[in-house]
Amino acid sequence: MAGIKDVAKLAGVGVGTVSRMINESGYVSIDTRAKIESAMKELNYTPNELARNLYYKKSGIIAVLVPNVLNPFFAQFIDCVEGELRRAGFKIMLCSTMKDVKSEAEYLDLLNRHIVDGVIAGMSSLDESEYSRIQKPVVALDRYLGEHIPVVTVDHKEGGRLAAEVLLANGCRKILHFRSTAEKKSLYHDRHTEFQKIMDERGVETYCYNLDWRRLDIEYYHQVVEEIFEKGIEFDGVFGVDRLAIECMNGLIRQHKNIPQDVKIVSYDGTYITEIVEPKISTIVQPIDKMAEASVQCMCELISGAKIKNRQIILKPTFRKGGTTV
Amino acid sequence: MAGIKDVAKLAGVGVGTVSRMINESGYVSIDTRAKIESAMKELNYTPNELARNLYYKKSGIIAVLVPNVLNPFFAQFIDCVEGELRRAGFKIMLCSTMKDVKSEAEYLDLLNRHIVDGVIAGMSSLDESEYSRIQKPVVALDRYLGEHIPVVTVDHKEGGRLAAEVLLANGCRKILHFRSTAEKKSLYHDRHTEFQKIMDERGVETYCYNLDWRRLDIEYYHQVVEEIFEKGIEFDGVFGVDRLAIECMNGLIRQHKNIPQDVKIVSYDGTYITEIVEPKISTIVQPIDKMAEASVQCMCELISGAKIKNRQIILKPTFRKGGTTV
């Protein structure tokens, strides 16, 4: 296999020049670059990237942790993040943390072992203290993990308010509210507090169903909705995440209820599945593309050595009307 | 930072023993392992993995190429593959090839650069010749890429036959058949040939819509279905991939057609979205979990140095009845 010396010889330049170009460690003129590139091509030379990474302690890989790839929110997030990272010159390593409780810690460890240059924590169930020990690039979604870890989040309080206002304007008087709980405090849950507060203030009756935060699977959602119907709970409005809102609508359709005449539905997240059902779900949309963009931007800043302290990027949710409200 | 010498000293063993244990390159007794581990812990020592990878030319990372993470088939595939790879001790690097035509070649190049140990090609648009040059572990999905590259596929001919039989048994006489075409020959397309052949033999009229294989997005599917309805094409049966089948059903529901009384629908793939709509779609299910399992198994064999020649693993599709057929 051809080495750097062969490339230098064929290009008629010094080894140091080739090295400067490969490692982007100094000026190389356009003409010289062209000569080196054509020599590399002719010799089928590929620089040993692992050796380069070892030297620079850079791998060009960012780990993205999500609870579950199948969840449409995280699928959309990964899709956007992958594109953004690619544009920034990074590759993505993917980890679903829900299948293996140890995996979150394991991926953080990859940072220390120089296998990844940074971690975007799409969901976190570790203690803040586990993160505070890490002095490497970490960006968090929806959760505060320490002053040196930037947080990308959405104004979920505003999201809760928007949902409440739509259901109130639709004249709902008894609302089924699917509340997610979580072991760790996530900013994502602010929507519930705000939604409930407004309903209480306006004297609107709510039935709160407390969900198990560890379950995101369709079987669980199906089971929850069955339970609601079996208990014979009456409601004229629904607020919950996309999948639950859809399960609920399907249950109502099977009971020959008319949507939106009999029951109004507003979902949270606004992922693509709200648009593949009939009628489409009215929803509070999280700006997933902007969240991905902001996460990658923070990551690039951290990697380039910027010191970021107490940064919180708060994006705005929006309401998208479907056919489940009037 | 503590080095291997410090660990050896504290554990009271030779440097060679520590090295053997770290690199799993020879026998180390259980007692000695325990001593070394506790010394590593005390000194907060982490072996430099990049250096180890460099030496062994192994990174422990497998790249998985899919056209689009958002497509539920590939989301489910990634989800399963990630779990299987994790169990086998690998991490997953993810690449959506549809966003960037150059990316497939770029990821193959990572093999040469020792950044990944193998590539699982969930979809491929490169020429077979590009793959035949690669002497590294590659496993392909649904496409023949050369005799040294194992293929994991489904008996799509059988899948096409199953779909045809269900629609025939349902008494359909005019079937809308969404055909995917592809620039490169994929085994996935065998279902269309078989389906069409059976319909032709049985004298059942079909309306074939030829899809643009480069488009997998919902906007496109929506547009296709709108076009069908605008043209006023009459049909009493539908065969197409999950998303198209769903779009079609939604269009029919908006036209106040009764499903399955007026029109029967059978989809292909059987991803989770066929179960979140009402009624659930009757579908030919690809065994995505088994495909992932077989892909990872082949990958492990290749990485362990096994020579695999002309291996094709063909899995069986099944029919899952939903509410869109009787």
Side-chain angles (χ1 to χ4, degrees), chain A residues 201-261:
Chain A
E201 282 169 4
R202 299 285 284 267
V204 170
E205 206 182 329
T206 54
Y207 178 88
C208 278
Y209 189 101
N210 290 314
L211 298 160
D212 180 348
W213 66 278
R214 285 157 304 196
R215 298 283 301 269
L216 290 172
D217 51 299
I218 194 165
E219 292 76 20
Y220 175 62
Y221 289 153
H222 190 76
Q223 191 184 309
V224 164
V225 170
E226 286 236 313
E227 193 187 321
I228 297 282
F229 285 118
E230 271 167 23
K231 280 187 179 159
I233 293 154
E234 300 264 326
F235 52 89
D236 60 6
V238 176
F239 178 49
V241 291
D242 294 345
R243 283 279 274 272
L244 260 175
I246 289 172
E247 269 301 315
C248 216
M249 179 170 82
N250 291 344
L252 293 164
I253 291 173
R254 283 192 296 271
Q255 293 192 341
H256 307 289
K257 290 261 167 53
N258 289 319
I259 312 288
Q261 294 83 346

Side-chain angles (χ1 to χ4, degrees), chain A residues 99, chain B residues 78-88:
Chain A
K99 286 192 182 161
Chain B
I78 291 166
D79 183 56
C80 295
V81 155
E82 200 241 346
E84 293 292 330
L85 284 175
R86 179 190 305 226
R87 268 186 288 281

Side-chain angles (χ1 to χ4, degrees), chain A residues 11 28 34 58 73 99 159 169 176 216 224 230 253 264 284 310 314:
Chain A
V28 180
K58 286 268 163 76
F73 176 84
K99 286 192 182 161
L176 174 58
L216 290 172
V224 164
E230 271 167 23
I253 291 173
K264 330 288 178 196
I284 308 301
N310 290 324
I314 304 171

Side-chain angles (χ1 to χ4, degrees), chain B residues 219-251:
Chain B
E219 291 76 21
Y220 176 61
Y221 289 153
H222 190 76
Q223 189 185 310
V224 164
V225 170
E226 287 235 312
E227 192 188 320
I228 298 282
F229 285 118
E230 270 167 24
K231 279 187 180 160
I233 292 154
E234 300 263 324
F235 52 89
D236 59 7
V238 176
F239 178 48
V241 291
D242 293 347
R243 283 276 275 270
L244 261 175
I246 290 171
E247 269 301 314
C248 217
M249 179 170 83
N250 291 344

Side-chain angles (χ1 to χ4, degrees), chain A residues 254-323:
Chain A
R254 283 192 296 271
Q255 293 192 341
H256 307 289
K257 290 261 167 53
N258 289 319
I259 312 288
Q261 294 83 346
D262 301 334
V263 181
K264 330 288 178 196
I265 303 170
V266 174
S267 80
Y268 204 82
D269 284 354
T271 62
Y272 73 86
I273 59 169
T274 58
E275 302 194 272
I276 66 172
V277 291
E278 184 62 34
K280 290 187 172 71
I281 309 277
S282 295
T283 182
I284 308 301
V285 183
Q286 294 207 57
I288 302 180
D289 51 343
K290 291 204 185 82
M291 295 172 84
E293 212 178 292
S295 306
V296 172
Q297 205 181 314
C298 285
M299 181 52 71
C300 291
E301 282 184 52
L302 287 171
I303 285 178
S304 73
K307 294 278 166 247
I308 299 182
K309 217 175 153 181
N310 290 324
R311 186 185 297 174
Q312 202 169 24
I313 295 169
I314 304 171
L315 300 161
K316 284 283 171 204
T318 49
F319 173 66
R320 182 174 64 216
K321 198 192 163 309

